[in-house]
Amino acid sequence: MKKGKKKKMHNIKELRKNFDKFKKLLESRNVDINLDELIKLDQENRKFIQKIENLEMEKKKISKSKDSSMFSKSKEISKKIDELNKLQSNINNNLNDILSSLPNIPLSEVPIGKDENENKEILKSGHIKKFTFNPKSHYQIGEKLNMLDFDLATKTTGSRFVFVKDKLATLERAISNFMIDTHTKKNGYTEISPPLMATVDTMFGTGQLPKFENDQFEIKIDEKSERKFLIPTAEVILTNMVKNQIINLNSLPMRLVASTPCFRKEAGSYGKDTKGMIRQHQFYKVEMVSIVENIKCEEELERMTNCATSILDELKLPYRKIILSTGDMGFSAEKTYDIEVWLPSENKYREISSCSSCGTFQARRMRARYKNKDNVTEFVGTLNGSGLAVGRTLIAILENYQTEDGSIIIPDVLKPYMGNMDKISIN
């Protein structure tokens, strides 16, 4: 039977066996997909495969008989097989299109809910400072210092970009360097400086394509080149470092970290956070990725989240940790913790990190496997988390460390990265 290159998504055999459970869990992800159509296509696909296999067996018998009188019948069977292969291929493509658009299945402890309103707070940490004056927003502080310039960025590039200048640019770089040093020297991650572009296959592997193509920036190199995209997060490129591989068990866990620019269209956020640096098309982020034995995903998620919160502990920034509901989780996630930092100007917590276990969901799409201790080939488990978003950490420092005269106190752990400077003041 003629077979094309198969993309692995959800295991269709497991889906068949536990269809009602699978359907219920998928409905909790708040997705609008006709699963009955999926099952119908699967049944049709299997019928065609069976027909093709029966015809191939018949053709094989004729070939073995060496009966020349059956030659014309053999040709007819070959023609019929070709026709059925085309029909089966179309059905299989439609089946895979639906399978590739289905999100990951949530773990049992994930709260069932439609959106962020059903997220559950796990803990709060840090001291929220009481200001003796009305705290300003990060963009008011930055513009007063003449070190954040949104107008100039709009002139040169467009909306949702910013020039970070002078000592704030130094502070931004210091934040990134401090995070990378912490994750490599204390938390056991290996630093990677990766490419900032990804192929269609790579974007498919981590779940950005095909469902979220409208959020991606596509790069056109020339007419003949394969399609490429600017990475929306280093997760994409770091996780795909193991695609199409069978990894040695002794190499696990793999813990990788990168500080990169990230690029997102923010297509679904029209009108949200239009002022300041909260939601930009280009931003810096330190990203952690873990590749583990699939039975160790949940313990690795706790470890990764603690690595992220340790950065905020060191910076003495107040934060809270929440578990996302089924309707608020990302496409590839089976369980997600968000870490939200306190912003005085808004009098609320805002997301600064998201740490997710994806189980074997991405590994199936990437065909990333390992041999377990019994020498059985299994899909790896993948996890990713911000450690942290650099721009949002800069925002949190500007707002939480501001003084009444508009100066910014430098957090103690960042002073060695800032030439032991104590504060940033108006020139």
Side-chain angles (χ1 to χ4, degrees):
M1 188 178 113
K2 197 175 175 182
K3 293 180 182 177
K5 187 180 176 185
K6 272 187 150 184
K7 297 279 190 186
K8 295 285 184 182
M9 281 85 52
H10 287 286
N11 186 330
I12 191 69
K13 290 179 183 176
E14 289 299 315
L15 192 156
R16 257 184 242 132
K17 282 193 289 186
N18 302 288
F19 179 67
D20 290 338
K21 181 182 177 184
F22 187 88
K23 186 176 181 180
K24 187 178 178 183
L25 287 169
L26 263 186
E27 284 169 351
S28 78
R29 293 300 314 264
N30 205 25
V31 291
D32 183 23
I33 292 168
N34 188 344
L35 287 177
D36 295 319
E37 176 66 16
L38 177 75
I39 291 299
K40 182 184 169 187
L41 284 169
D42 179 45
Q43 289 169 346
E44 288 180 14
N45 191 48
R46 283 186 290 154
K47 281 179 187 174
F48 272 106
I49 290 170
Q50 188 63 53
K51 285 179 183 177
I52 292 165
E53 286 176 348
N54 289 340
L55 286 170
E56 284 179 336
M57 283 173 66
E58 190 178 347
K59 187 182 172 186
K60 201 171 182 180
K61 282 180 186 175
I62 292 170
S63 176
K64 280 184 178 179
S65 73
K66 297 180 181 179
D67 185 348
S68 57
S69 65
M70 299 292 285
F71 181 69
S72 59
K73 187 173 182 181
S74 180
K75 281 185 75 175
E76 284 175 22
I77 291 172
S78 294
K79 187 179 176 184
K80 185 66 176 173
I81 288 172
D82 286 343
E83 289 170 2
L84 290 175
N85 265 324
K86 286 174 186 174
L87 291 169
Q88 187 267 329
S89 179
N90 286 335
I91 290 169
N92 195 51
N93 287 338
N94 290 336
L95 181 64
N96 279 340
D97 283 346
I98 296 176
L99 281 171
S100 68
S101 66
L102 298 180
N104 202 353
I105 298 301
L107 296 180
S108 58
E109 65 267 29
V110 174
I112 304 293
K114 288 184 178 179
D115 53 33
E116 69 274 7
N117 294 314
E118 277 78 36
N119 295 344
K120 297 280 189 286
E121 184 177 288
I122 305 294
L123 63 83
K124 280 181 180 169
S125 182
H127 172 70
I128 294 175
K129 183 179 177 181
K130 300 292 182 187
F131 289 93
T132 56
F133 57 93
N134 192 29
K136 292 182 172 62
S137 68
H138 69 278
Y139 50 86
Q140 289 172 320
I141 297 164
E143 287 176 338
K144 191 175 179 184
L145 288 168
N146 195 30
M147 295 180 194
L148 289 182
D149 199 327
F150 297 94
D151 291 338
L152 181 59
T154 301
K155 288 175 186 173
T156 61
T157 314
S159 61
R160 294 193 188 270
F161 293 91
V162 65
F163 277 94
V164 183
K165 301 190 290 186
D166 199 11
K167 296 298 185 290
L168 284 194
T170 309
L171 179 58
E172 183 180 52
R173 179 160 47 88
I175 291 166
S176 179
N177 288 343
F178 161 66
M179 290 175 182
I180 287 290
D181 281 352
T182 301
H183 292 314
T184 55
K185 294 174 183 176
K186 292 184 180 179
N187 295 333
Y189 287 83
T190 299
E191 184 177 4
I192 306 290
S193 179
L196 301 180
M197 284 187 272
T199 63
V200 171
D201 193 53
T202 296
M203 295 284 276
F204 177 89
T206 42
Q208 277 70 31
L209 295 182
K211 195 171 177 65
F212 304 102
E213 186 170 336
N214 288 342
D215 253 336
Q216 315 308 325
F217 283 105
E218 186 171 354
I219 299 298
K220 190 172 185 179
I221 296 176
D222 58 50
E223 295 296 333
K224 295 177 182 177
S225 293
E226 183 182 5
R227 295 174 72 199
K228 288 184 174 60
F229 299 84
L230 291 173
I231 58 168
T233 164
E235 170 210 340
V236 172
I237 210 82
L238 295 180
T239 310
N240 272 279
M241 285 172 70
V242 296
K243 78 174 178 179
N244 297 322
Q245 290 184 41
I246 296 178
I247 300 148
N248 191 309
L249 180 61
N250 295 331
S251 300
L252 300 178
M254 292 172 62
R255 296 187 177 114
L256 313 171
V257 66
S259 179
T260 68
C262 305
F263 306 90
R264 294 182 194 170
K265 284 186 181 177
E266 298 288 357
S269 62
Y270 181 78
K272 288 182 183 177
D273 301 309
T274 52
K275 285 183 93 59
M277 292 175 65
I278 287 282
R279 204 177 294 274
Q280 300 238 289
H281 290 315
Q282 175 188 312
F283 55 95
Y284 289 92
K285 185 153 66 85
V286 171
E287 184 76 0
M288 302 174 289
V289 161
S290 293
I291 313 295
V292 300
E293 294 173 68
N294 55 47
I295 56 171
K296 295 185 176 178
C297 284
E298 290 194 69
E299 65 181 80
E300 184 69 14
L301 179 60
E302 299 301 324
R303 182 191 188 278
M304 178 179 279
T305 308
N306 289 338
C307 291
T309 57
S310 72
I311 299 292
L312 293 171
D313 290 330
E314 291 280 338
L315 291 169
K316 295 183 169 58
L317 290 168
Y319 63 90
R320 69 172 186 162
K321 174 183 169 183
I322 61 175
I323 183 170
L324 298 193
S325 73
T326 53
D328 198 31
M329 281 199 307
F331 179 78
S332 298
E334 64 178 7
K335 181 178 179 181
T336 298
Y337 291 121
D338 268 11
I339 302 160
E340 298 179 341
V341 70
W342 180 257
L343 294 187
S345 71
E346 298 186 24
N347 199 38
K348 67 178 181 181
Y349 294 95
R350 296 295 298 261
E351 182 194 335
I352 196 167
S353 172
S354 191
C355 297
S356 297
S357 169
C358 299
T360 60
F361 183 82
Q362 292 176 326
R364 286 181 183 279
R365 296 166 78 98
M366 297 185 301
R367 294 198 56 73
R369 295 148 291 163
Y370 71 106
K371 288 191 182 294
N372 66 20
K373 57 181 172 50
D374 299 318
N375 208 35
V376 176
T377 303
E378 296 189 45
F379 290 105
V380 298
T382 65
L383 302 96
N384 62 82
S386 319
L388 308 160
V390 175
R392 292 195 178 192
T393 306
L394 177 64
I395 289 168
I397 290 170
L398 291 180
E399 295 204 6
N400 285 279
Y401 281 86
Q402 64 180 294
T403 62
E404 193 167 7
D405 68 2
S407 299
I408 304 300
I409 305 298
I410 306 295
D412 289 341
V413 292
L414 295 182
K415 286 179 182 178
Y417 297 89
M418 296 285 293
N420 292 314
M421 186 188 301
D422 288 320
K423 66 178 181 177
I424 296 172
S425 303
I426 295 169
N427 294 328

